[in-house]
Amino acid sequence: MNITRENIDELNAVVKVDIAKEDYNGKVEKVLKDYRKNANIPGFRKGHVPMGMVKKQYGKAVLVDEVNKLLQEGLNKYLTEEKLDVLGNPLPKEQENFDWDSENYSFEFELGLSPEFEVDLNTEKPITHYQIVAGDEMIENQIKTIQKQYGKLVSKDAVEGEEDQVAGTFKNEAEEIESTTTLSLDKMKNEEDRKKFIGKKVGDVVTLNTKDLFEDEHDLMEVLKVDHDKVHGLDVEVEFTISEINKQELADLDQELFDKLFGKGEVTSVTELKEKIKEDAGKQFAQQGDQQLLNDVTEMLIDNTQFDLPKEFLQKWIRTAGENPMTEEEAKEEYEKSEKGLRFQLIEGKLIKDNDLQVQYEDLISFAKDRIKEQMAQFGQMNPEDKELEDIAKRVLSNQEEVKRLSEQLMNQKLLDLYKEKVNLEPKEVTYEEFVKEVYQ
């Protein structure tokens, strides 16, 4: 077998593979002999079928199969030994008048080559690294939520205010609506609807219109128990018969509540409670700040790292890569949609290689243990033993899909650490509300 390469330009090449009879003949003969031993052909004993008959029946198919095996093995070995960084897969060139009855064969493949480029992480213009904190309003709302969660419901004779909760049943016979639910009056959109409940007692009926009853129509879907398609645009009157009235009595901000939340003596005052809420929120928001940093650095690298791609080759490869072949127009459209992602894959690969970023098994175990510990803490298991974490991590990593998922997460973390070290960053402290407004609006 002889393999040669002709470089068309820096991004495109053609590889020619020549296969001679001596390369494949021995393999073909061996397969045919095995066929002869096991062939069941009427009129002949097993193992005594004439070789000429075996060759006539199976020879061409075996030849094609063995040549294709040699071709793929030789091509893959060549690409590895030559250390060619190719994009997509080699594409066989069409050959007119190809003759399988010949003894020697030549095949040609088009290659798309990865471009050479450098990545500069140190930009002149700094990238904002958001340090997201909980504002005073968010902290107060969280405290109120905690008080509600640990408070108690007190039964009432009549509805007195919008903070009351009213249980009952919605009905509309024509629309086949009959749903028992509990309403928090402060969730209702219009003050006029909320006022209809004031002074009402158990057994009273309140008539409401479903249109604009809540800010979010999904809340209406939940209380009426109707499907997603029906709730959108629903504009009918429903009767709500009150069966129970309760007021949420807030829990006292005392030491008993603090100990329930954080453990005995960990928090001893409302001031410390606010600090703890702010600290915990900061940890959660740090992930959002880091994700935004990853997004912004990605955009910067794509914009600032210039290189050409073998565009025509990649469009041709896209046409044939999927289960269903595409037209030229479809392949062009798909390439335009995926070009940005491909560029970043190459940039990311370059960064990983140049900075020797690796995911070792020991790192993966440690990373998995940290994630498991975080999950266990959510269910109140604050101090699991290291052996328990190790055993769970090893069970998780026995699943190859989990290995792939966690490896990608760990590599993203390594890239994030690299960006924090080398990219020109400008820290900016913002509340969560300010972050949402600045980034998403």
Side-chain angles (χ1 to χ4, degrees):
M1 183 187 302
N2 184 45
I3 302 180
T4 56
R5 182 175 83 250
E6 177 189 357
N7 290 330
I8 308 302
D9 53 39
E10 292 183 351
L11 299 174
N12 295 274
V14 173
V15 169
K16 184 179 180 183
V17 183
D18 294 320
I19 298 179
K21 184 176 181 179
E22 56 265 26
D23 295 322
Y24 63 80
N25 195 53
K27 296 177 182 293
V28 171
E29 290 294 331
K30 181 179 183 303
V31 173
L32 290 174
K33 285 178 182 178
D34 290 339
Y35 272 39
R36 186 186 181 208
K37 290 178 186 176
N38 299 298
N40 287 312
I41 296 179
F44 297 95
R45 286 185 297 145
K46 188 175 181 180
H48 289 77
V49 180
M51 180 57 81
M53 186 174 288
V54 173
K55 286 184 177 182
K56 185 176 181 181
Q57 187 166 350
Y58 302 108
K60 182 62 68 66
V62 172
L63 170 67
V64 172
D65 190 44
E66 292 302 317
V67 169
N68 277 322
K69 285 181 185 176
L70 273 173
L71 183 60
Q72 290 303 319
E73 290 169 3
L75 188 57
N76 291 337
K77 184 179 179 183
Y78 175 81
L79 295 177
T80 302
E81 290 178 347
E82 293 292 310
K83 297 179 180 177
L84 290 178
D85 194 359
V86 298
L87 301 177
N89 292 317
L91 290 177
K93 293 187 71 173
E94 291 185 14
Q95 294 175 270
E96 293 183 9
N97 304 318
F98 186 86
D99 185 10
W100 280 107
D101 290 327
S102 174
E103 292 186 344
N104 301 317
Y105 309 104
S106 289
F107 303 89
E108 290 185 339
F109 293 86
E110 295 179 63
L111 301 182
L113 304 178
S114 184
E116 295 287 337
F117 60 92
E118 297 299 324
V119 182
D120 185 7
L121 287 174
N122 190 14
T123 58
E124 186 175 329
K125 183 181 178 181
I127 291 178
T128 302
H129 186 198
Y130 292 98
Q131 317 290 313
I132 308 170
V133 298
D136 292 340
E137 184 179 352
M138 179 176 281
I139 292 171
E140 291 297 335
N141 287 338
Q142 182 62 27
I143 289 174
K144 186 64 64 78
T145 299
I146 291 171
Q147 286 183 283
K148 285 182 177 179
Q149 182 181 349
Y150 287 87
K152 59 183 179 181
L153 288 176
V154 178
S155 180
K156 299 178 64 176
D157 294 328
V159 180
E160 294 179 348
E162 295 179 359
E163 69 280 1
D164 291 345
Q165 292 184 5
V166 183
T169 301
F170 278 109
K171 279 189 179 182
N172 179 303
E173 291 185 5
E175 295 292 333
E176 298 181 343
I177 294 172
E178 183 169 352
S179 169
T180 300
T181 188
T182 298
L183 290 176
S184 294
L185 299 185
D186 55 4
K187 268 195 167 187
M188 298 175 72
K189 183 177 181 179
N190 299 314
E191 184 178 356
E192 185 179 326
D193 286 328
R194 295 193 291 269
K195 282 183 176 179
K196 290 181 180 179
F197 285 86
I198 304 302
K200 292 294 189 288
K201 298 180 179 181
V202 172
D204 287 347
V205 177
V206 179
T207 301
L208 300 164
N209 193 290
T210 58
K211 186 178 181 181
D212 296 328
L213 188 57
F214 298 99
E215 289 284 355
D216 188 345
E217 287 187 335
H218 290 87
D219 289 332
L220 182 64
M221 182 174 71
E222 184 177 332
V223 299
L224 295 184
K225 295 181 176 58
V226 297
D227 62 39
H228 190 273
D229 293 335
K230 183 174 182 176
V231 78
H232 287 294
L234 186 64
D235 184 3
V236 297
E237 283 194 343
V238 287
E239 291 185 342
F240 185 82
T241 304
I242 298 173
S243 60
E244 190 177 342
I245 303 167
N246 294 297
K247 181 179 180 179
Q248 180 78 49
E249 191 173 274
L250 301 181
D252 292 330
L253 296 174
D254 55 17
Q255 193 60 49
E256 182 182 355
L257 178 61
F258 301 154
D259 290 346
K260 282 182 183 177
L261 292 171
F262 305 106
K264 192 168 180 63
E266 291 294 319
V267 170
T268 59
S269 67
V270 173
T271 300
E272 290 182 9
L273 172 63
K274 291 181 178 181
E275 290 173 355
K276 184 69 174 173
I277 291 172
K278 187 172 184 178
E279 178 188 340
D280 291 345
K283 291 177 182 177
Q284 295 178 26
F285 292 149
Q287 294 180 1
Q288 287 180 271
D290 285 347
Q291 184 58 55
Q292 187 59 39
L293 175 61
L294 279 171
N295 295 343
D296 291 340
V297 172
T298 296
E299 290 296 325
M300 177 274 290
L301 289 172
I302 291 172
D303 290 341
N304 292 0
T305 310
Q306 302 299 318
F307 53 82
D308 292 325
L309 290 169
K311 182 177 178 180
E312 290 183 5
F313 169 84
L314 289 170
Q315 289 182 14
K316 191 183 294 186
W317 173 68
I318 288 171
R319 284 186 64 188
T320 59
E323 291 184 8
N324 300 313
M326 295 184 179
T327 65
E328 286 188 19
E329 192 60 37
E330 288 172 337
K332 181 181 178 182
E333 185 179 336
E334 183 64 27
Y335 172 78
E336 289 171 353
K337 286 193 294 186
S338 59
E339 181 184 357
K340 193 173 182 180
L342 174 59
R343 286 184 175 278
F344 186 67
Q345 281 182 14
L346 293 172
I347 294 168
E348 190 177 61
K350 176 76 171 169
L351 287 171
I352 290 170
K353 182 180 178 181
D354 289 351
N355 294 278
D356 195 27
L357 302 182
Q358 300 179 28
V359 174
Q360 305 287 358
Y361 182 73
E362 293 75 16
D363 296 335
L364 206 53
I365 283 283
S366 178
F367 186 73
K369 285 165 65 175
D370 289 342
R371 292 294 177 272
I372 293 163
K373 191 173 182 179
E374 290 173 6
Q375 292 173 4
M376 294 175 76
Q378 294 176 5
F379 295 95
Q381 299 179 14
M382 306 304 294
N383 296 299
E385 293 185 3
D386 190 69
K387 185 179 184 309
E388 182 182 7
L389 291 172
E390 183 100 10
D391 290 343
I392 296 173
K394 287 181 177 178
R395 286 201 299 273
V396 169
L397 294 177
S398 65
N399 183 319
Q400 289 305 306
E401 287 297 319
E402 285 297 305
V403 171
K404 181 181 177 182
R405 184 179 68 84
L406 290 171
S407 295
E408 289 174 353
Q409 290 181 4
L410 180 53
M411 183 55 73
N412 280 339
Q413 183 61 52
K414 288 178 179 286
L415 285 166
L416 178 64
D417 293 340
L418 178 70
Y419 298 157
K420 288 180 178 179
E421 177 187 350
K422 295 191 174 183
V423 174
N424 182 12
L425 301 181
E426 183 177 66
K428 182 177 182 179
E429 185 174 293
V430 292
T431 65
Y432 181 73
E433 291 77 15
E434 291 169 339
F435 171 76
V436 170
K437 186 176 181 180
E438 191 165 322
V439 172
Y440 299 109
Q441 297 179 9

